[in-house]
Amino acid sequence: MPALSPVPELFRGLFDDAAVFPPGNLPVAEAVPAHRAHRAAWYADAVGPFLCGAGRLGELAAAVEGTGPLRVGLVLPGGSAELGTALAAAALFEVAGVELATRDAREAVAELDRLLPPDVPAAVELPRELLRGDGLDEVLDLLVDSAYRAKFRTGGVVAEAFPDEDELAAFLTGCAQRGLPYKCTAGLHNALRHTDPVTGFEHHGFLNVLLAAQETDRAAAAEVLAERDGEVLAKAVRELSAHQVTVIRNSFTAFGTCSIAEPLDDLAALGLLSPSPLPQEDR
């Protein structure tokens, strides 16, 4: 009988390893062994694939040479024009998924249909300015009729990269109403909504997003996203039924984080994960 995972179902596969992306910017040669250590640790069930941009696949190939297979999520900031070349360059890896940024969702879906192997999942990201007003409904309606997830950017290196609660709630509830799965990226490596003491940026918390993922009402989702009390959120997590956990994770599938340690530390501090020794990372 297989051993039970120490990682609760709500957090399994939630943290995609984006160590080489800003603001972490870990060199590929250091990020790969760190990722392998995560995948061998007691918390491995929480860790998703290693994320790599299309332009760094050569570096990644050199870093993994002779070290065994690696599950890689391809991140294509240049859109579908990069898709064919990136898939060819990624032949050395186990491609766990593709994340494609675009300004034309219809064209992106067509290219994914044409080039992507049927067993490889993909997520389509549009600039937030194209997802305001009727644009959001148009894109989500298109994606729900496709084989692909949506992707939404929840932060970055400037204040303007962070959507407010209402904007994020519109995306989350739009997906929930359609049964459309999605992933998020950037700025979510802490569990709770907070103001960064150094930058002053308003960060969403991944725990807030998980709990808001089950909401279909925009105002209710925005209220959950605005909550800053860890005890309130931890209590809400503990009270989730197995069905609610399934609904949440069928919706919010993963997010990219440049640190694996920080989200785990936060969960341990909230009593939501066993406080076993956690990884020591350069922060």
Side-chain angles (χ1 to χ4, degrees):
M1 183 175 179
L4 292 176
S5 172
V7 177
E9 188 69 33
L10 186 64
F11 309 122
R12 292 182 197 168
L14 184 63
F15 310 127
D16 287 354
D17 190 346
V20 300
F21 289 86
N25 295 315
L26 197 65
V28 171
E30 297 178 25
V32 169
H35 178 76
R36 293 197 188 280
H38 295 317
R39 295 296 306 153
W42 65 268
Y43 54 85
D45 285 345
V47 183
F50 183 91
L51 300 183
C52 185
R56 306 189 72 178
L57 289 171
E59 287 181 73
L60 185 59
V64 303
E65 186 175 2
T67 65
L70 184 71
R71 291 183 71 241
V72 175
L74 300 181
V75 180
L76 309 182
S80 53
E82 295 181 321
L83 181 58
T85 302
L87 288 172
L92 295 172
F93 316 115
E94 178 188 346
V95 179
V98 170
E99 302 175 22
L100 191 154
T102 183
R103 296 189 70 85
D104 187 338
R106 192 173 302 278
E107 187 267 346
V109 166
E111 283 299 282
L112 287 166
D113 285 346
R114 186 173 74 88
L115 296 174
L116 195 66
D119 59 337
V120 177
V124 177
E125 175 191 357
L126 273 82
R128 284 173 38 226
E129 66 267 19
L130 298 184
L131 297 179
R132 297 187 177 117
D134 293 340
L136 177 62
D137 288 333
E138 291 172 6
V139 169
L140 298 186
D141 285 343
L142 174 67
L143 291 179
V144 80
D145 289 330
S146 77
Y148 312 116
R149 292 177 291 169
K151 178 182 173 183
F152 193 77
R153 191 159 294 273
T154 46
V157 296
V158 294
E160 295 75 21
F162 293 80
D164 63 18
E165 296 99 321
D166 185 63
E167 183 182 349
L168 180 53
F171 173 80
L172 299 182
T173 56
C175 290
Q177 290 160 8
R178 293 166 173 82
L180 176 64
Y182 54 87
K183 75 165 296 184
C184 296
T185 187
L188 277 185
H189 50 277
N190 288 112
L192 309 178
R193 180 170 181 83
H194 66 283
T195 304
D196 187 285
V198 176
T199 65
F201 298 166
E202 292 291 316
H203 285 249
H204 293 286
F206 68 82
L207 214 56
N208 301 75
V209 178
L210 283 166
L211 290 166
Q214 63 186 321
E215 301 288 350
T216 56
D217 178 76
R218 184 169 172 175
E223 183 176 354
V224 174
L225 292 172
E227 179 61 63
R228 295 170 183 257
D229 189 321
E231 292 185 8
V232 169
L233 293 173
K235 181 174 184 290
V237 167
R238 294 188 187 97
E239 292 175 350
L240 290 172
S241 68
H243 174 70
Q244 286 175 305
V245 169
T246 298
V247 168
I248 288 169
R249 290 308 310 278
N250 283 346
S251 297
F252 181 23
T253 61
F255 69 93
T257 173
C258 62
S259 170
I260 298 298
E262 288 184 27
L264 294 173
D265 283 339
D266 280 6
L267 291 178
L270 290 166
L272 298 175
L273 188 66
S274 172
S276 301
L278 295 177
Q280 296 300 310
E281 295 175 346
D282 293 331
R283 286 180 167 84

